[in-house]
Amino acid sequence: MRIIQLIAGSALVQVILTLVLYALYAMLVGMAMTPSAMLVRWGVGSLTQQGRWLAFAMVLGGSLFLFFASAILVLGLAIRFLSWGVQPGRYQYKSFTVLRWLIYSGIFTLMNTYVLPAVPMSFLTNAFFRI
């Protein structure tokens, strides 16, 4: 609990924590982008001179869809992990549970802003909310 009180009482620690959380969010998004990057790498490596731009555009389109699917899986599981075992109730703002909900909210905001609007009313959206 002393760590949470230190975070709540120090502006410098809050800035450092914010940067650490942004790095965590970037790592999670990077994990979700990994299959897409692998598809692009494979697609670029197999391109010939004929039809190069069309093939590249198709690989990019496929990798975007793959990113949405893997983001729903990776970020959805991260949200599920962070909310695991949290009971309904009121918590002091200087608690570990509130810190978990802060991280949870950041990940959910990423999903709600960037991924879910791109796949509205689809099986991917349903999968995210089921996770």
Side-chain angles (χ1 to χ4, degrees), residues 74-94:
V74 170
L75 298 176
L77 288 174
I79 286 173
R80 173 59 63 195
F81 175 74
L82 286 166
S83 64
W84 196 350
V86 175
Q87 299 297 321
R90 293 178 161 250
Y91 295 92
Q92 291 183 354
Y93 75 95
K94 296 179 182 181

Side-chain angles (χ1 to χ4, degrees), residues 6 36 49 62 65 80 88 115 119:
L6 176 68
S36 299
Q49 194 64 22
F65 178 78
R80 173 59 63 195
V115 177
V119 289

Side-chain angles (χ1 to χ4, degrees), residues 53 58 85 92 94 100 130:
W53 291 108
M58 291 177 69
Q92 291 183 354
K94 296 179 182 181
R100 286 173 52 189
R130 285 182 179 259

Side-chain angles (χ1 to χ4, degrees), residues 5-70:
Q5 290 174 347
L6 176 68
I7 292 169
S10 171
L12 177 63
V13 174
Q14 288 178 10
V15 168
I16 292 170
L17 178 65
T18 300
L19 293 174
V20 168
L21 289 179
Y22 285 174
L24 172 70
Y25 300 151
M27 277 185 0
L28 288 171
V29 170
M31 285 174 59
M33 285 182 170
T34 300
S36 299
M38 291 170 64
L39 179 63
V40 169
R41 173 90 165 97
W42 171 82
V44 168
S46 64
L47 294 178
T48 62
Q49 194 64 22
Q50 284 298 42
R52 188 165 128 184
W53 291 108
L54 177 62
F56 182 67
M58 291 177 69
V59 167
L60 283 180
S63 67
L64 182 64
F65 178 78
L66 187 58
F67 166 70
F68 292 142
S70 59

Side-chain angles (χ1 to χ4, degrees), residues 86-108:
V86 175
Q87 299 297 321
R90 293 178 161 250
Y91 295 92
Q92 291 183 354
Y93 75 95
K94 296 179 182 181
S95 68
F96 183 68
T97 303
V98 171
L99 183 61
R100 286 173 52 189
W101 279 110
L102 174 77
I103 298 168
Y104 168 101
S105 296
I107 295 170
F108 186 80

